[in-house]
């Protein structure tokens, strides 16, 4: 008469029937106020009313085992069980759920009015992981339901191995679990749970991604190559994963294509290249670890470059290796291989090293660097000259004698003249200019004269004017 919603009354009446043990009447009353969810895959446990019913049923489970103790069972409970059994519960859980009428009642309400997450969570609460997994598969629930309902509870309760065993038992190839496993990996990566991620990737036999996780274990948080020296086992693990992957690829290429839909693929060429990178990183790590231990290490950069970064970082590795040895020659061979293997801009690296040597006032080592570059066999004609020109921006800090020695080491007269002009050594620039072919000499001397005029060097200006 008052037009109020009768749902609350039906729910209260249903709860009263439940508490009185009248399961059939309770179903009838709840049928008038409970509705199935619009979306079975929503990430919650259904309406508050359904949750109250389940909570009550779970908290008042009677120790009635119908299969064993028939004489304890009331007729009403037997009737309820028979009716619940007729539901589509093809995945019956062994043990108490199968035999207890109150648990059967829970399943009736969950299947009638609950979400997939609520059903799966119920199975997980009562140690029926297999049934939870089969329900997930049968209903083709999205990966979020797997993460929240099965995966997170499994690793939080230390049952990850049990979960892995069941996944494998249900589908030995793991193909039907691919979407869920990849989602679990992404979830762990977001949470920074890299140890669990690595364990899962090994279970998935996803060797390429496992190798990538090992790279992170190797590089993350290391502040020095001494630290990296202690983490070299990760480099060996990267190699192991990549080698196993190569074996699997070569085995499967003989047979018909294997449908590894969720495992990361990579061409054999790329895998071999990565193995080569790991070998080179091992060599770099051993060398720099040794340098740091023997105290020859000079650079104190906050970031620690490795060969697993971008090209700029790889160039930093090459610089570090050249600079941190006892002398330039000691690390040059390894650095040269880094430059060659990754096809890096060698001149840029050598120039960077030269500038660093100027800062460290190691002028004789710049000459040693030029010697190594020339002897490497792949240096272009002007590489040595360009290295010197690039470090002459710091000429004010270089003592006159060392500066002269560096410029005289240049191959090309044109570059020598340019270098002398950069360093305001106009008299020396004039002396080299006049030795050139007549037409070019005139142009060069005119240029020197202009520079002398603008810098107020009357002596050189007069010499140039006289020669011209």
């Amino acid at each position: 008469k008052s037009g109020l919603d009768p749902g609350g009354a039906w729910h209260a009446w249903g709860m009263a029937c439940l508490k009185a043990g009248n399961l059939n009447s309770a179903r009838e009353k709840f049928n008038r106020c409970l509705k199935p969810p619009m979306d079975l895959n929503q990430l919650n446990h259904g309406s508050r009313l359904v949750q109250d019913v389940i909570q009550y049923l779970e908290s008042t489970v009677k120790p009635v085992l119908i299969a064993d103790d028939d004489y304890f069972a009331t007729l009403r409970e037997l009737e309820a069980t028979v009716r619940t059994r007729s539901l589509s519960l093809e995945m019956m859980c062994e043990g108490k759920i199968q035999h207890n009428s109150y648990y059967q009642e829970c399943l009736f309400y969950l299947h009638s009015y609950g979400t997939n997450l609520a059903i799966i969570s119920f199975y997980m609460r009562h140690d029926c992981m297999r049934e939870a997994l089969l329900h997930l598969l049968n209903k083709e629930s999205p990966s979020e339901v797997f993460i929240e309902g099965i995966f997170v509870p499994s690793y939080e309760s230390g049952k990850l191995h049990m979960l892995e065993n069941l996944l494998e038992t249900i589908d030995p190839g793991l193909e039907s679990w691919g979407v869920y496993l990849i989602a679990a990996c992404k979830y762990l990566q977001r949470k920074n749970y890299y140890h669990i991620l690595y364990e899962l990737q090994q279970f998935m036999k996803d060797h390429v991604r496992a190798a990538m996780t090992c790279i992170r274990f190797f590089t993350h948080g290391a502040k020095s190559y001494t630290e990296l020296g202690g983490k070299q086992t990760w480099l060996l693990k990267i190699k192991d994963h990549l080698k196993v992957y190569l074996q699997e690829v070569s085995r499967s290429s003989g047979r018909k294509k294997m449908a590894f839909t969720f495992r990361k693929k990579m061409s054999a060429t790329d895998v071999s290249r990565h193995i080569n990178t790991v070998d080179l990183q091992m060599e770099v790590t051993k060398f720099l670890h040794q340098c740091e231990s023997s105290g020859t290490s000079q650079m104190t950069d906050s970031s620690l470059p490795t060969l697993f970064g971008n090209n700029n970082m790889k160039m930093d590795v090459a610089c570090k290796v050249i600079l941190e040895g006892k002398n330039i020659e000691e690390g040059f061979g390894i650095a040269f291989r880094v430059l060659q293997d990754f096809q890096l801009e060698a001149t840029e690296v050598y120039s960077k090293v030269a500038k660093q040597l100027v800062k460290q006032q190691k002028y004789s080592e710049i000459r040693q660097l030029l010697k190594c570059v020339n002897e490497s066999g792949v240096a272009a004609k002007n590489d040595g000259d360009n290295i010197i020109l690039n470090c002459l921006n710091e000429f004010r800090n270089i003592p006159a004698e060392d500066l002269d020695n560096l410029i005289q080491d240049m191959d090309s007269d044109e570059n020598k003249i340019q270098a002398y002009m950069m360093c305001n050594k106009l008299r020396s620039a004039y002396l080299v200019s006049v030795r050139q072919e007549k037409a070019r000499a005139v142009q060069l001397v005119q240029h020197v004269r202009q520079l002398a005029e603008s810098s107020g060097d009357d002596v050189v200006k007069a010499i140039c004017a006289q020669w011209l």
Side-chain angles (χ1 to χ4, degrees), residues 84-94 98 104 107 111 119 123 130-131 133-139:
T84 316
R85 289 265 175 88
S86 68
L87 287 168
S88 59
L89 297 178
E90 63 278 3
M91 313 98 42
M92 287 307 295
C93 184
E94 293 303 315
Q98 187 166 357
Q104 291 302 317
L107 287 170
H111 279 276
I119 296 167
Y123 281 133
R130 180 185 169 82
E131 285 65 31
L133 287 167
L134 289 171
H135 184 85
L136 179 88
L137 267 191
N138 290 345
K139 301 295 177 187

Side-chain angles (χ1 to χ4, degrees), residues 440-458:
R440 182 66 183 137
V442 170
Q443 288 175 333
L444 289 167
V445 173
Q446 281 175 336
H447 190 198
V448 173
R449 184 175 69 170
Q450 283 168 2
L451 287 174
E453 198 169 341
S454 55
S455 66
D457 190 337
D458 294 336

Side-chain angles (χ1 to χ4, degrees), residues 235-248:
L235 294 177
L236 294 171
K237 284 183 179 177
I238 298 168
K239 271 181 79 171
D240 289 343
H241 284 301
L242 294 176
K243 281 176 179 173
V244 171
Y245 177 77
L246 271 184
Q247 286 165 5
E248 285 181 1

Side-chain angles (χ1 to χ4, degrees), residues 245-311:
Y245 177 77
L246 271 184
Q247 286 165 5
E248 285 181 1
V249 168
S250 62
R251 273 205 303 271
S252 62
S253 61
R255 305 197 297 274
K256 68 182 178 62
K257 284 274 183 188
M258 289 171 82
F260 284 143
T261 45
F262 64 91
R263 295 177 181 98
K264 190 168 178 64
K265 292 189 182 73
M266 193 179 273
S267 73
T269 320
D270 282 348
V271 174
S272 301
R273 206 178 68 243
H274 286 305
I275 290 173
N276 188 43
T277 300
V278 174
D279 284 334
L280 203 46
Q281 180 62 53
M282 280 175 135
E283 217 171 316
V284 166
T285 307
K286 279 176 191 161
F287 178 76
L288 291 176
H289 181 196
Q290 211 176 334
C291 294
E292 285 180 5
S293 306
S294 62
T296 56
S297 178
Q298 296 285 334
M299 294 172 79
T300 52
D301 281 344
S302 50
S303 65
L304 194 66
T306 69
L307 298 178
F308 299 118
N310 57 21
N311 276 0

Side-chain angles (χ1 to χ4, degrees), residues 45-95:
H45 290 255
S47 72
R48 185 67 252 172
L49 299 181
V50 178
Q51 289 180 54
D52 288 347
V53 172
I54 302 302
Q55 209 170 343
Y56 174 75
L57 285 168
E58 282 185 301
S59 65
T60 54
V61 169
K62 294 181 181 178
V64 175
L65 295 176
I66 289 165
D68 306 324
D69 306 319
D70 286 316
Y71 50 88
F72 276 128
T74 64
L75 280 170
R76 192 181 293 122
E77 284 173 326
L78 276 168
E79 191 188 336
T81 305
V82 170
R83 183 175 300 179
T84 316
R85 289 265 175 88
S86 68
L87 287 168
S88 59
L89 297 178
E90 63 278 3
M91 313 98 42
M92 287 307 295
C93 184
E94 293 303 315

